[in-house]
Amino acid sequence: MKKWIMATGLMLALAGCSGEEDASVNGNTAEDGNAASENNAVEHGITDQEVGFTLDDEGDIIAADVPEAEKQELLSAYEEYIAAFNAEDMDRYMATIAENPDGFDREEDQQALSEAFENYDTTYTTSDETIVKYEEDRAEVFATIDVEMNEAGTEQGMQQSGRQVVVFKKEQDDWKVTSLHFIGNQ
């Protein structure tokens, strides 16, 4: 089971983030499974800007005020990011990632994700996609995500769900993934 939890964390972390691979001992603490560096699977990258989402009194995600054209571009970029990952198409996936991402190494992520694609069949299913923060050259997209992961060539697998915020930045007039923040459900 620990192998699956670590693999799921790896897949989520690789979907736009990278941390150092350190051997760790499970001490049954809240920090188990998180890399020792500031770039871990829970919060990668941007340390000088707050990333997150806000709920209203009914528990619904509060959307940012976004011009309609930018809203469509951002949500399309997010959909392509998820679709490219699900297709396990490395070239297509890397086209969604920023050339100069904030807080992770693009080449390291590409290598690790390539290995993960060889060993696991993973599908992301998202819902509640909402732009929660917007600036002219930076935006955050919230989504609820269900992850189904099977070891390649087997029926053995696991499922995990959670919430994520994918941070995008503009590069050459296109929205590109620059970091990812994931909160798993218990």
Side-chain angles (χ1 to χ4, degrees):
M1 182 63 144
K2 186 174 181 179
K3 172 180 153 184
W4 285 108
I5 292 169
M6 290 179 65
T8 301
L10 174 67
M11 295 301 285
L12 290 167
L14 292 173
C17 304
S18 175
E20 293 180 15
E21 293 182 30
D22 293 337
S24 64
V25 175
N26 185 344
N28 290 325
T29 68
E31 295 302 312
D32 286 344
N34 291 339
S37 72
E38 69 183 49
N39 297 326
N40 61 54
V42 176
E43 183 175 338
H44 286 264
I46 304 170
T47 56
D48 60 331
Q49 292 180 311
E50 188 175 314
V51 174
F53 54 92
T54 305
L55 303 174
D56 65 16
D57 291 338
E58 287 79 41
D60 297 321
I61 302 298
I62 297 175
D65 186 24
V66 183
E68 191 60 35
E70 290 293 315
K71 179 179 179 179
Q72 294 307 314
E73 285 183 32
L74 270 163
L75 292 176
S76 291
Y78 180 80
E79 288 174 16
E80 175 60 12
Y81 163 71
I82 296 297
F85 182 90
N86 286 340
E88 295 187 4
D89 183 331
M90 187 59 70
D91 292 335
R92 182 177 167 196
Y93 176 81
M94 292 309 292
T96 69
I97 304 299
E99 288 296 323
N100 300 300
D102 297 325
F104 68 92
D105 183 275
R106 182 181 162 89
E107 287 73 31
E108 285 179 12
D109 278 4
Q110 182 176 4
Q111 179 182 354
L113 190 56
S114 179
E115 291 172 17
F117 282 164
E118 289 178 29
N119 296 310
Y120 299 97
D121 297 321
T122 306
T123 303
Y124 288 174
T125 305
T126 63
S127 59
D128 306 321
E129 296 86 353
T130 307
I131 301 168
V132 293
K133 291 188 183 171
Y134 173 78
E135 297 170 8
E136 189 175 313
D137 60 352
R138 183 182 180 281
E140 299 175 17
V141 178
F142 166 90
T144 301
I145 187 167
D146 294 315
V147 179
E148 184 176 332
M149 185 168 76
N150 293 310
E151 194 167 354
T154 73
E155 295 293 319
Q156 292 185 337
M158 71 170 291
Q159 296 177 340
Q160 181 177 2
S161 61
R163 297 176 287 182
Q164 70 174 6
V165 175
V166 178
V167 181
F168 288 84
K169 70 178 181 178
K170 278 263 178 129
E171 284 187 353
Q172 301 174 7
D173 294 326
D174 292 322
W175 290 104
K176 302 293 183 172
V177 174
T178 192
S179 69
L180 170 81
H181 306 263
F182 178 81
I183 302 168
N185 293 339
Q186 294 288 337

